[in-house]
Coordinates of all heavy atoms in Angstrom, one line a residue:
M1 N 1.2 -27.9 11.9 CA 0.5 -28.5 10.8 C 0.7 -30.0 10.8 O 1.8 -30.5 10.7 CB 1.0 -27.9 9.4 CG 0.3 -28.3 8.3 SD 0.6 -27.4 6.8 CE 2.1 -28.0 6.3
E2 N -0.4 -30.7 10.8 CA -0.4 -32.1 10.9 C -0.6 -32.7 9.5 O -1.7 -32.5 8.9 CB -1.6 -32.5 11.8 CG -1.8 -34.0 11.9 CD -3.1 -34.3 12.6 OE1 -3.6 -33.6 13.4 OE2 -3.7 -35.3 12.2
L3 N 0.4 -33.5 9.0 CA 0.3 -34.1 7.7 C 0.5 -35.6 7.8 O 1.0 -36.2 6.8 CB 1.3 -33.5 6.7 CG 0.9 -32.0 6.3 CD1 2.0 -31.5 5.3 CD2 -0.4 -32.0 5.6
S4 N 0.2 -36.2 8.9 CA 0.4 -37.6 9.0 C -0.9 -38.4 8.8 O -1.9 -37.9 9.2 CB 1.0 -38.0 10.4 OG 0.1 -37.6 11.4
F5 N -0.8 -39.6 8.3 CA -2.0 -40.4 8.0 C -1.8 -41.7 8.7 O -0.9 -42.4 8.6 CB -2.1 -40.6 6.5 CG -3.3 -41.5 6.1 CD1 -4.5 -40.9 6.2 CD2 -3.1 -42.8 5.8 CE1 -5.7 -41.7 5.9 CE2 -4.2 -43.6 5.4 CZ -5.5 -43.0 5.5
N6 N -2.8 -42.0 9.5 CA -2.8 -43.3 10.3 C -4.0 -44.1 10.1 O -4.4 -44.9 10.9 CB -2.8 -42.9 11.8 CG -1.5 -42.1 12.2 OD1 -0.5 -42.4 11.6 ND2 -1.7 -41.2 13.1
G7 N -4.6 -44.0 8.9 CA -5.8 -44.8 8.6 C -5.5 -45.9 7.6 O -4.4 -46.2 7.3
P8 N -6.6 -46.6 7.2 CA -6.4 -47.7 6.2 C -5.9 -47.1 4.9 O -6.2 -46.0 4.5 CB -7.8 -48.2 6.1 CG -8.7 -47.3 6.7 CD -8.0 -46.4 7.6
P9 N -5.2 -47.9 4.1 CA -4.6 -47.4 2.9 C -5.6 -47.0 1.9 O -5.3 -46.1 1.0 CB -3.8 -48.7 2.3 CG -3.7 -49.6 3.5 CD -4.8 -49.3 4.5
E10 N -6.8 -47.5 1.9 CA -7.9 -47.1 1.0 C -8.2 -45.6 1.1 O -8.7 -45.0 0.2 CB -9.1 -47.9 1.2 CG -9.0 -49.4 1.0 CD -8.5 -50.1 2.3 OE1 -8.9 -49.7 3.4 OE2 -7.7 -51.0 2.1
L11 N -8.0 -45.0 2.2 CA -8.4 -43.6 2.5 C -7.2 -42.7 2.3 O -7.3 -41.5 2.5 CB -8.9 -43.5 3.9 CG -10.2 -44.2 4.2 CD1 -10.6 -44.0 5.7 CD2 -11.3 -43.8 3.3
L12 N -6.0 -43.2 1.8 CA -4.9 -42.3 1.6 C -5.1 -41.2 0.6 O -4.8 -40.1 0.8 CB -3.7 -43.2 1.3 CG -2.3 -42.4 1.2 CD1 -2.0 -41.8 2.5 CD2 -1.2 -43.4 0.7
L13 N -5.7 -41.6 -0.5 CA -6.0 -40.6 -1.6 C -7.0 -39.5 -1.1 O -6.8 -38.3 -1.3 CB -6.6 -41.3 -2.8 CG -7.0 -40.4 -4.0 CD1 -5.7 -39.7 -4.5 CD2 -7.7 -41.1 -5.1
Q14 N -8.0 -39.9 -0.3 CA -8.9 -38.9 0.2 C -8.2 -38.0 1.2 O -8.4 -36.8 1.2 CB -10.1 -39.7 1.0 CG -11.0 -38.7 1.7 CD -12.1 -39.5 2.5 OE1 -12.2 -40.7 2.4 NE2 -12.8 -38.8 3.3
F15 N -7.3 -38.6 2.0 CA -6.5 -37.8 2.9 C -5.8 -36.7 2.2 O -5.8 -35.5 2.6 CB -5.6 -38.7 3.7 CG -4.6 -38.0 4.5 CD1 -4.9 -37.4 5.8 CD2 -3.3 -37.8 4.1 CE1 -3.9 -36.8 6.5 CE2 -2.3 -37.2 4.8 CZ -2.6 -36.6 6.0
W16 N -5.1 -37.1 1.1 CA -4.2 -36.1 0.4 C -5.0 -35.1 -0.4 O -4.7 -33.9 -0.5 CB -3.2 -36.8 -0.5 CG -2.1 -37.3 0.4 CD1 -1.8 -38.6 0.7 CD2 -1.1 -36.5 1.1 NE1 -0.7 -38.7 1.5 CE2 -0.3 -37.4 1.8 CE3 -0.9 -35.2 1.2 CZ2 0.8 -37.0 2.6 CZ3 0.2 -34.8 2.0 CH2 1.0 -35.7 2.7
I17 N -6.2 -35.5 -0.9 CA -7.0 -34.5 -1.6 C -7.5 -33.5 -0.6 O -7.5 -32.3 -0.9 CB -8.2 -35.3 -2.3 CG1 -7.7 -36.1 -3.5 CG2 -9.3 -34.3 -2.7 CD1 -8.8 -37.0 -4.1
L18 N -8.0 -33.9 0.6 CA -8.4 -32.9 1.6 C -7.3 -32.0 2.1 O -7.5 -30.8 2.3 CB -9.0 -33.7 2.8 CG -10.4 -34.2 2.5 CD1 -10.9 -35.1 3.8 CD2 -11.4 -33.2 2.2
K19 N -6.1 -32.6 2.2 CA -5.0 -31.7 2.6 C -4.6 -30.7 1.5 O -4.3 -29.5 1.9 CB -3.7 -32.6 2.9 CG -3.8 -33.3 4.2 CD -3.9 -32.4 5.3 CE -4.1 -33.1 6.6 NZ -4.5 -32.3 7.7
V20 N -4.7 -31.0 0.3 CA -4.4 -30.1 -0.8 C -5.5 -29.0 -0.8 O -5.2 -27.8 -1.0 CB -4.3 -30.8 -2.2 CG1 -4.3 -29.8 -3.3 CG2 -3.0 -31.6 -2.2
I21 N -6.7 -29.4 -0.7 CA -7.8 -28.4 -0.6 C -7.6 -27.5 0.6 O -7.8 -26.2 0.5 CB -9.2 -29.1 -0.6 CG1 -9.5 -29.8 -1.9 CG2 -10.3 -28.1 -0.3 CD1 -10.7 -30.7 -1.9
W22 N -7.3 -28.0 1.7 CA -7.1 -27.2 2.9 C -5.9 -26.2 2.7 O -6.1 -25.1 3.1 CB -6.8 -28.1 4.1 CG -6.5 -27.4 5.4 CD1 -7.3 -26.6 6.1 CD2 -5.2 -27.4 6.0 NE1 -6.5 -26.1 7.2 CE2 -5.3 -26.6 7.1 CE3 -4.0 -28.0 5.7 CZ2 -4.2 -26.4 7.9 CZ3 -2.9 -27.8 6.5 CH2 -3.0 -27.0 7.6
L23 N -4.8 -26.7 2.2 CA -3.7 -25.9 2.0 C -3.9 -24.8 1.0 O -3.4 -23.6 1.1 CB -2.4 -26.7 1.6 CG -1.8 -27.5 2.7 CD1 -0.7 -28.4 2.1 CD2 -1.2 -26.6 3.7
A24 N -4.8 -25.0 0.0 CA -5.1 -24.0 -1.0 C -6.1 -23.0 -0.4 O -6.2 -21.8 -0.7 CB -5.8 -24.6 -2.2
G25 N -6.9 -23.5 0.6 CA -7.9 -22.6 1.2 C -7.3 -21.6 2.1 O -7.9 -20.5 2.3
L26 N -6.2 -21.8 2.7 CA -5.6 -20.9 3.7 C -5.3 -19.5 3.0 O -5.7 -18.5 3.5 CB -4.4 -21.5 4.3 CG -4.6 -22.6 5.4 CD1 -3.3 -23.2 5.8 CD2 -5.3 -22.0 6.6
P27 N -4.5 -19.5 1.9 CA -4.3 -18.2 1.2 C -5.6 -17.6 0.7 O -5.7 -16.4 0.6 CB -3.3 -18.5 0.2 CG -3.2 -20.0 0.0 CD -3.8 -20.6 1.2
L28 N -6.5 -18.4 0.2 CA -7.8 -17.9 -0.3 C -8.5 -17.1 0.8 O -9.1 -16.1 0.6 CB -8.7 -19.0 -0.8 CG -8.2 -19.6 -2.2 CD1 -9.2 -20.7 -2.5 CD2 -8.2 -18.5 -3.3
G29 N -8.5 -17.7 2.0 CA -9.2 -17.0 3.2 C -8.5 -15.7 3.5 O -9.2 -14.7 3.8
L30 N -7.2 -15.7 3.5 CA -6.5 -14.5 3.8 C -6.8 -13.4 2.7 O -7.0 -12.3 3.0 CB -5.0 -14.8 3.9 CG -4.1 -13.6 4.2 CD1 -4.5 -13.1 5.6 CD2 -2.6 -14.0 4.2
Y31 N -6.8 -13.8 1.4 CA -7.0 -12.9 0.3 C -8.5 -12.4 0.4 O -8.7 -11.2 0.3 CB -6.8 -13.6 -1.0 CG -7.3 -12.7 -2.2 CD1 -6.5 -11.6 -2.6 CD2 -8.5 -12.9 -2.8 CE1 -6.9 -10.8 -3.6 CE2 -8.9 -12.1 -3.9 CZ -8.1 -11.1 -4.2 OH -8.5 -10.2 -5.3
A32 N -9.4 -13.2 0.7 CA -10.8 -12.8 0.8 C -11.0 -11.8 1.9 O -11.7 -10.7 1.7 CB -11.8 -14.0 1.0
F33 N -10.4 -12.0 3.1 CA -10.5 -11.1 4.2 C -9.9 -9.8 3.8 O -10.4 -8.7 4.1 CB -9.9 -11.7 5.5 CG -10.0 -10.8 6.6 CD1 -11.2 -10.6 7.3 CD2 -9.0 -10.0 7.1 CE1 -11.4 -9.8 8.4 CE2 -9.1 -9.2 8.2 CZ -10.3 -9.1 8.8
G34 N -8.7 -9.8 3.3 CA -8.0 -8.6 2.9 C -8.7 -7.8 1.8 O -8.8 -6.6 1.9
H35 N -9.3 -8.5 0.9 CA -10.1 -7.8 -0.2 C -11.3 -7.1 0.4 O -11.6 -6.0 0.1 CB -10.5 -8.8 -1.2 CG -11.2 -8.1 -2.4 ND1 -12.6 -7.9 -2.4 CD2 -10.7 -7.6 -3.6 CE1 -12.9 -7.3 -3.5 NE2 -11.8 -7.1 -4.3
A36 N -12.0 -7.8 1.3 CA -13.2 -7.2 1.9 C -12.8 -6.0 2.8 O -13.5 -5.0 2.8 CB -13.9 -8.2 2.8
L37 N -11.7 -6.1 3.4 CA -11.2 -5.0 4.3 C -10.9 -3.8 3.5 O -11.1 -2.6 3.9 CB -9.9 -5.5 5.0 CG -9.4 -4.6 6.1 CD1 -10.4 -4.4 7.2 CD2 -8.1 -5.1 6.6
M38 N -10.4 -3.9 2.2 CA -10.0 -2.8 1.4 C -11.1 -2.1 0.6 O -10.9 -1.1 0.0 CB -8.8 -3.2 0.4 CG -7.6 -3.8 1.1 SD -6.8 -2.7 2.2 CE -6.2 -1.5 1.1
Q39 N -12.3 -2.7 0.6 CA -13.4 -2.1 -0.2 C -14.2 -1.1 0.6 O -14.2 -1.1 1.8 CB -14.3 -3.3 -0.6 CG -13.6 -4.4 -1.4 CD -12.7 -3.9 -2.5 OE1 -13.1 -3.2 -3.4 NE2 -11.4 -4.3 -2.4
R40 N -14.8 -0.2 -0.2 CA -15.7 0.8 0.4 C -16.9 0.1 1.0 O -17.5 -0.8 0.4 CB -16.1 1.8 -0.7 CG -15.0 2.7 -1.1 CD -15.6 3.8 -2.0 NE -16.9 3.7 -2.5 CZ -17.2 3.7 -3.8 NH1 -16.3 3.8 -4.7 NH2 -18.5 3.5 -4.2
A41 N -17.4 0.6 2.1 CA -18.5 0.0 2.8 C -19.8 0.1 2.0 O -20.7 -0.8 1.9 CB -18.7 0.7 4.1
D42 N -20.0 1.2 1.2 CA -21.2 1.4 0.5 C -21.3 0.5 -0.8 O -22.4 0.3 -1.3 CB -21.4 2.9 0.1 CG -20.3 3.4 -0.8 OD1 -19.2 2.8 -0.8 OD2 -20.5 4.4 -1.6
A43 N -20.2 0.0 -1.2 CA -20.2 -0.9 -2.4 C -20.9 -2.2 -2.1 O -21.6 -2.7 -3.0 CB -18.8 -1.2 -2.8
F44 N -20.9 -2.7 -0.9 CA -21.5 -3.9 -0.5 C -23.1 -3.8 -0.6 O -23.8 -4.6 -1.2 CB -21.1 -4.4 0.8 CG -19.7 -4.9 0.9 CD1 -18.7 -4.0 1.2 CD2 -19.4 -6.2 0.7 CE1 -17.4 -4.4 1.2 CE2 -18.1 -6.6 0.7 CZ -17.0 -5.7 1.0
T45 N -23.6 -2.7 0.0 CA -25.0 -2.5 0.0 C -25.5 -2.1 -1.4 O -26.6 -2.3 -1.8 CB -25.4 -1.5 1.0 OG1 -24.7 -0.3 0.9 CG2 -25.2 -2.1 2.4
A46 N -24.6 -1.4 -2.2 CA -25.0 -1.0 -3.5 C -25.3 -2.2 -4.5 O -26.1 -2.1 -5.4 CB -23.9 -0.1 -4.1
V47 N -24.7 -3.3 -4.2 CA -24.9 -4.5 -5.1 C -25.9 -5.5 -4.4 O -26.1 -6.6 -4.9 CB -23.6 -5.2 -5.4 CG1 -22.7 -4.3 -6.3 CG2 -22.8 -5.7 -4.2
G48 N -26.5 -5.0 -3.3 CA -27.5 -5.9 -2.7 C -27.0 -7.0 -1.9 O -27.6 -8.0 -1.7
K49 N -25.8 -6.9 -1.3 CA -25.2 -7.9 -0.5 C -25.2 -7.5 1.0 O -25.6 -6.4 1.3 CB -23.7 -8.2 -0.9 CG -23.6 -8.7 -2.4 CD -24.3 -10.0 -2.6 CE -24.3 -10.4 -4.0 NZ -25.1 -11.6 -4.2
L50 N -24.7 -8.3 1.8 CA -24.6 -8.0 3.2 C -23.6 -6.8 3.4 O -22.9 -6.5 2.5 CB -24.1 -9.2 4.0 CG -25.0 -10.4 4.1 CD1 -24.4 -11.5 4.8 CD2 -26.3 -10.0 4.8
S51 N -23.6 -6.2 4.6 CA -22.8 -5.1 4.8 C -21.3 -5.5 4.9 O -21.0 -6.7 5.0 CB -23.2 -4.4 6.1 OG -22.9 -5.3 7.2
K52 N -20.4 -4.5 4.8 CA -19.0 -4.7 4.9 C -18.6 -5.4 6.2 O -17.9 -6.4 6.2 CB -18.2 -3.4 4.7 CG -16.7 -3.6 4.8 CD -16.0 -2.3 4.6 CE -14.5 -2.5 4.7 NZ -13.7 -1.3 4.3
P53 N -19.1 -4.9 7.4 CA -18.8 -5.6 8.6 C -19.2 -7.1 8.6 O -18.5 -8.0 9.2 CB -19.5 -4.8 9.7 CG -19.6 -3.5 9.1 CD -19.8 -3.7 7.6
A54 N -20.4 -7.4 8.0 CA -20.9 -8.8 8.0 C -19.9 -9.6 7.2 O -19.5 -10.7 7.6 CB -22.3 -8.8 7.4
W55 N -19.5 -9.1 6.0 CA -18.5 -9.9 5.2 C -17.2 -10.0 5.8 O -16.5 -11.0 5.6 CB -18.5 -9.3 3.8 CG -19.7 -9.8 3.0 CD1 -20.7 -9.1 2.5 CD2 -19.9 -11.2 2.6 NE1 -21.6 -9.9 1.9 CE2 -21.2 -11.2 1.9 CE3 -19.2 -12.4 2.8 CZ2 -21.7 -12.4 1.4 CZ3 -19.8 -13.5 2.3 CH2 -21.0 -13.5 1.6
L56 N -16.7 -9.0 6.5 CA -15.5 -9.1 7.3 C -15.6 -10.2 8.3 O -14.6 -11.0 8.5 CB -15.1 -7.7 7.9 CG -14.6 -6.7 7.0 CD1 -14.4 -5.4 7.7 CD2 -13.3 -7.1 6.3
G57 N -16.7 -10.2 9.0 CA -16.9 -11.3 10.0 C -17.0 -12.7 9.3 O -16.4 -13.6 9.9
I58 N -17.7 -12.8 8.2 CA -17.8 -14.1 7.5 C -16.4 -14.6 7.0 O -16.0 -15.7 7.2 CB -18.8 -14.0 6.4 CG1 -20.2 -13.8 7.0 CG2 -18.8 -15.2 5.5 CD1 -21.3 -13.4 6.0
T59 N -15.7 -13.7 6.3 CA -14.5 -14.1 5.7 C -13.4 -14.3 6.8 O -12.6 -15.2 6.8 CB -13.9 -13.1 4.7 OG1 -13.8 -11.8 5.3 CG2 -14.8 -13.1 3.5
G60 N -13.5 -13.5 7.9 CA -12.5 -13.6 9.0 C -12.8 -14.9 9.7 O -11.8 -15.7 10.1
A61 N -14.0 -15.3 10.0 CA -14.4 -16.5 10.7 C -14.0 -17.7 9.8 O -13.5 -18.7 10.3 CB -15.9 -16.6 11.0
G62 N -14.2 -17.6 8.5 CA -13.8 -18.6 7.6 C -12.3 -18.9 7.6 O -11.8 -20.0 7.6
M63 N -11.6 -17.8 7.6 CA -10.1 -17.9 7.6 C -9.6 -18.5 8.9 O -8.8 -19.4 8.9 CB -9.5 -16.5 7.5 CG -8.0 -16.4 7.4 SD -7.4 -14.8 7.1 CE -8.0 -13.9 8.5
V64 N -10.3 -18.2 10.0 CA -9.9 -18.8 11.3 C -10.2 -20.3 11.3 O -9.4 -21.1 11.8 CB -10.6 -18.0 12.5 CG1 -10.5 -18.8 13.8 CG2 -10.0 -16.6 12.6
M65 N -11.4 -20.6 10.8 CA -11.8 -22.0 10.7 C -10.8 -22.8 9.9 O -10.4 -23.9 10.2 CB -13.2 -22.2 10.1 CG -14.3 -21.8 11.1 SD -15.9 -22.3 10.3 CE -16.6 -20.7 10.3
L66 N -10.3 -22.2 8.8 CA -9.3 -22.9 8.0 C -8.0 -23.1 8.7 O -7.3 -24.1 8.5 CB -9.1 -22.1 6.6 CG -10.2 -22.3 5.6 CD1 -10.1 -21.2 4.6 CD2 -10.1 -23.7 5.0
A67 N -7.6 -22.1 9.5 CA -6.4 -22.1 10.2 C -6.4 -23.0 11.4 O -5.4 -23.7 11.7 CB -5.9 -20.7 10.6
V68 N -7.5 -23.1 12.1 CA -7.5 -23.8 13.4 C -7.9 -25.3 13.2 O -7.3 -26.2 13.7 CB -8.5 -23.1 14.4 CG1 -8.6 -23.9 15.6 CG2 -7.9 -21.7 14.7
F69 N -9.0 -25.5 12.5 CA -9.5 -26.9 12.3 C -9.0 -27.5 11.1 O -9.4 -27.3 10.0 CB -11.1 -26.8 12.3 CG -11.7 -26.2 13.5 CD1 -12.2 -24.9 13.4 CD2 -11.7 -26.8 14.7 CE1 -12.8 -24.3 14.5 CE2 -12.3 -26.2 15.8 CZ -12.8 -24.9 15.7
T70 N -8.0 -28.4 11.3 CA -7.2 -28.9 10.1 C -7.7 -30.2 9.6 O -7.7 -30.5 8.4 CB -5.7 -28.9 10.4 OG1 -5.5 -29.8 11.5 CG2 -5.2 -27.6 10.7
S71 N -8.0 -31.2 10.5 CA -8.3 -32.5 10.0 C -9.1 -33.3 11.0 O -9.4 -32.8 12.1 CB -7.1 -33.3 9.6 OG -6.3 -33.5 10.7
G72 N -9.4 -34.5 10.7 CA -10.1 -35.4 11.6 C -11.6 -35.3 11.5 O -12.1 -34.8 10.5
P73 N -12.2 -35.6 12.6 CA -13.7 -35.5 12.6 C -14.2 -34.1 12.5 O -15.4 -33.8 12.2 CB -14.1 -36.1 13.9 CG -12.9 -36.1 14.8 CD -11.7 -36.1 13.9
I74 N -13.4 -33.1 12.7 CA -13.8 -31.7 12.6 C -13.6 -31.1 11.2 O -13.6 -29.9 11.0 CB -13.1 -30.8 13.7 CG1 -11.6 -31.0 13.6 CG2 -13.6 -31.1 15.1 CD1 -10.8 -30.1 14.5
T75 N -13.3 -32.0 10.2 CA -13.1 -31.5 8.9 C -14.3 -30.7 8.4 O -14.1 -29.7 7.6 CB -12.9 -32.7 7.9 OG1 -11.7 -33.4 8.4 CG2 -12.7 -32.3 6.5
I76 N -15.5 -31.0 8.8 CA -16.7 -30.3 8.3 C -16.6 -28.8 8.7 O -17.1 -28.0 8.0 CB -18.0 -31.0 8.9 CG1 -19.2 -30.4 8.2 CG2 -18.1 -30.8 10.4 CD1 -19.4 -30.9 6.8
I77 N -15.9 -28.5 9.8 CA -15.8 -27.1 10.2 C -15.0 -26.3 9.3 O -15.3 -25.2 8.8 CB -15.3 -27.0 11.7 CG1 -16.4 -27.6 12.6 CG2 -15.1 -25.6 12.1 CD1 -15.9 -27.7 14.1
W78 N -13.8 -26.8 8.9 CA -13.0 -26.1 8.0 C -13.6 -26.0 6.6 O -13.3 -25.1 5.8 CB -11.5 -26.4 8.0 CG -11.1 -27.8 7.4 CD1 -10.7 -28.9 8.1 CD2 -10.9 -28.1 6.0 NE1 -10.4 -29.9 7.2 CE2 -10.5 -29.4 5.9 CE3 -11.0 -27.3 4.8 CZ2 -10.2 -30.0 4.7 CZ3 -10.8 -27.9 3.6 CH2 -10.3 -29.3 3.6
L79 N -14.3 -27.1 6.2 CA -15.0 -27.0 4.9 C -16.1 -25.9 4.9 O -16.3 -25.3 3.9 CB -15.6 -28.4 4.6 CG -14.7 -29.5 4.1 CD1 -15.4 -30.8 4.0 CD2 -14.0 -29.1 2.8
A80 N -16.7 -25.7 6.0 CA -17.7 -24.6 6.1 C -17.0 -23.3 6.0 O -17.5 -22.4 5.3 CB -18.5 -24.7 7.5
G81 N -15.8 -23.2 6.6 CA -15.0 -21.9 6.4 C -14.6 -21.7 5.0 O -14.7 -20.6 4.5
L82 N -14.2 -22.8 4.3 CA -13.9 -22.7 2.9 C -15.0 -22.3 2.0 O -14.9 -21.4 1.1 CB -13.3 -24.0 2.4 CG -12.8 -24.1 1.0 CD1 -11.7 -23.1 0.7 CD2 -12.4 -25.5 0.6
V83 N -16.2 -22.8 2.3 CA -17.4 -22.4 1.5 C -17.7 -20.9 1.7 O -18.0 -20.2 0.8 CB -18.6 -23.3 2.0 CG1 -19.9 -22.7 1.4 CG2 -18.4 -24.7 1.5
A84 N -17.6 -20.5 3.0 CA -17.8 -19.0 3.2 C -16.9 -18.2 2.5 O -17.3 -17.2 1.8 CB -17.7 -18.8 4.7
V85 N -15.6 -18.5 2.4 CA -14.6 -17.8 1.7 C -14.9 -17.8 0.2 O -14.8 -16.8 -0.5 CB -13.2 -18.3 2.0 CG1 -12.2 -17.8 1.0 CG2 -12.8 -18.0 3.4
L86 N -15.2 -19.0 -0.3 CA -15.5 -19.1 -1.7 C -16.8 -18.3 -2.2 O -16.8 -17.8 -3.3 CB -15.6 -20.6 -2.1 CG -14.3 -21.4 -2.1 CD1 -14.6 -22.9 -2.4 CD2 -13.3 -20.8 -3.1
V87 N -17.8 -18.3 -1.3 CA -19.0 -17.5 -1.6 C -18.6 -16.0 -1.8 O -19.0 -15.4 -2.8 CB -20.1 -17.6 -0.5 CG1 -21.1 -16.6 -0.7 CG2 -20.7 -19.0 -0.6
Y88 N -17.7 -15.5 -0.9 CA -17.3 -14.1 -1.0 C -16.5 -14.0 -2.4 O -16.7 -13.0 -3.1 CB -16.4 -13.7 0.1 CG -15.9 -12.3 -0.1 CD1 -16.7 -11.2 0.3 CD2 -14.6 -12.1 -0.6 CE1 -16.3 -9.9 0.0 CE2 -14.2 -10.8 -0.8 CZ -15.0 -9.7 -0.5 OH -14.6 -8.4 -0.7
L89 N -15.5 -14.9 -2.6 CA -14.7 -14.7 -3.8 C -15.4 -14.8 -5.1 O -15.1 -14.1 -6.1 CB -13.5 -15.7 -3.7 CG -12.5 -15.4 -2.6 CD1 -11.5 -16.6 -2.6 CD2 -11.8 -14.1 -2.8
L90 N -16.3 -15.7 -5.2 CA -17.0 -16.0 -6.4 C -18.3 -15.2 -6.7 O -18.7 -15.1 -7.8 CB -17.3 -17.5 -6.5 CG -16.0 -18.4 -6.5 CD1 -16.4 -19.9 -6.5 CD2 -15.1 -18.1 -7.7
D91 N -18.9 -14.8 -5.6 CA -20.2 -14.0 -5.8 C -20.1 -12.6 -5.4 O -20.5 -11.7 -6.2 CB -21.3 -14.7 -4.9 CG -22.6 -14.0 -5.1 OD1 -23.0 -13.7 -6.2 OD2 -23.3 -13.9 -4.1
V92 N -19.6 -12.3 -4.2 CA -19.6 -10.9 -3.7 C -18.4 -10.1 -4.4 O -18.7 -9.0 -4.8 CB -19.5 -10.9 -2.2 CG1 -19.4 -9.5 -1.7 CG2 -20.6 -11.7 -1.6
R93 N -17.2 -10.6 -4.3 CA -16.1 -9.8 -4.8 C -16.2 -9.3 -6.2 O -16.0 -8.1 -6.5 CB -14.8 -10.7 -4.7 CG -13.5 -9.9 -5.1 CD -12.3 -10.8 -5.1 NE -12.3 -11.8 -6.1 CZ -12.0 -11.6 -7.4 NH1 -11.6 -10.4 -7.8 NH2 -12.0 -12.6 -8.2
P94 N -16.7 -10.1 -7.2 CA -16.8 -9.5 -8.6 C -17.8 -8.4 -8.6 O -17.5 -7.4 -9.3 CB -17.3 -10.7 -9.4 CG -16.9 -11.9 -8.6 CD -16.9 -11.5 -7.2
K95 N -18.9 -8.5 -7.9 CA -19.9 -7.4 -8.0 C -19.4 -6.2 -7.3 O -19.7 -5.0 -7.7 CB -21.2 -7.9 -7.4 CG -21.8 -9.0 -8.2 CD -23.1 -9.6 -7.6 CE -23.6 -10.7 -8.5 NZ -24.6 -11.5 -7.9
V96 N -18.8 -6.3 -6.1 CA -18.3 -5.2 -5.4 C -17.2 -4.5 -6.2 O -17.2 -3.2 -6.3 CB -17.7 -5.6 -4.0 CG1 -16.9 -4.5 -3.3 CG2 -18.9 -6.0 -3.1
T97 N -16.3 -5.2 -6.8 CA -15.3 -4.7 -7.6 C -15.9 -3.9 -8.8 O -15.4 -2.8 -9.2 CB -14.3 -5.8 -8.1 OG1 -13.8 -6.4 -7.0 CG2 -13.2 -5.2 -8.9
E98 N -16.9 -4.5 -9.5 CA -17.5 -3.9 -10.6 C -18.2 -2.6 -10.3 O -18.1 -1.6 -11.0 CB -18.5 -4.9 -11.2 CG -19.2 -4.4 -12.5 CD -20.2 -5.3 -13.0 OE1 -20.1 -6.5 -12.8 OE2 -21.2 -4.9 -13.6
V99 N -18.9 -2.6 -9.2 CA -19.6 -1.3 -8.8 C -18.7 -0.2 -8.5 O -19.0 1.0 -8.7 CB -20.7 -1.6 -7.7 CG1 -20.0 -1.7 -6.4 CG2 -21.7 -0.5 -7.7
Q100 N -17.5 -0.5 -8.0 CA -16.5 0.5 -7.6 C -15.8 1.0 -8.9 O -15.3 2.1 -8.9 CB -15.6 0.0 -6.6 CG -16.2 -0.2 -5.2 CD -15.2 -0.6 -4.2 OE1 -14.8 0.2 -3.5 NE2 -14.9 -1.9 -4.2
R101 N -15.7 0.1 -9.9 CA -14.9 0.5 -11.1 C -15.8 1.3 -12.0 O -15.3 2.1 -12.8 CB -14.5 -0.8 -11.8 CG -13.6 -0.5 -12.9 CD -13.1 -1.8 -13.6 NE -12.9 -2.9 -12.6 CZ -13.0 -4.1 -12.9 NH1 -13.2 -4.5 -14.1 NH2 -12.8 -5.1 -12.0
G102 N -17.1 1.1 -11.9 CA -18.0 1.8 -12.8 C -18.3 1.0 -14.0 O -17.7 0.0 -14.3
S103 N -19.2 1.5 -14.8 CA -19.6 0.9 -16.1 C -18.5 1.0 -17.1 O -17.9 2.0 -17.2 CB -20.9 1.5 -16.6 OG -21.3 0.9 -17.8
S104 N -18.4 0.0 -17.9 CA -17.4 0.0 -19.0 C -18.0 0.6 -20.3 O -17.3 0.6 -21.3 CB -16.8 -1.4 -19.3 OG -17.9 -2.2 -19.6
W105 N -19.2 1.1 -20.2 CA -19.8 1.7 -21.4 C -19.3 3.0 -21.7 O -19.3 4.0 -21.4 CB -21.3 1.7 -21.3 CG -21.9 0.3 -21.3 CD1 -22.0 -0.6 -20.3 CD2 -22.4 -0.4 -22.5 NE1 -22.5 -1.7 -20.7 CE2 -22.7 -1.7 -22.1 CE3 -22.5 -0.1 -23.8 CZ2 -23.3 -2.6 -22.9 CZ3 -23.1 -1.0 -24.6 CH2 -23.4 -2.3 -24.2

């Protein structure tokens, strides 16, 4: 894990903000992949989302991007991985969980 900064002092705050976001994204990626892995396959299509294998691929690739591409000019790659993980966590996961739990009525 590379946490050294060799740029101008004006960019030090940006550097640390990106590092905190990256460090928070790693466990989120692991959780998203694990959650997708534990869900029933029919729940994804029941809520009108991509299939379970597709979401496993998306969250898995996002997790790998977060783990491998840490900083520098390739920051955009791990940010794309973080966005993929967040889409699953904020959009897909609540709906999949709700359809498996059933209606609260």
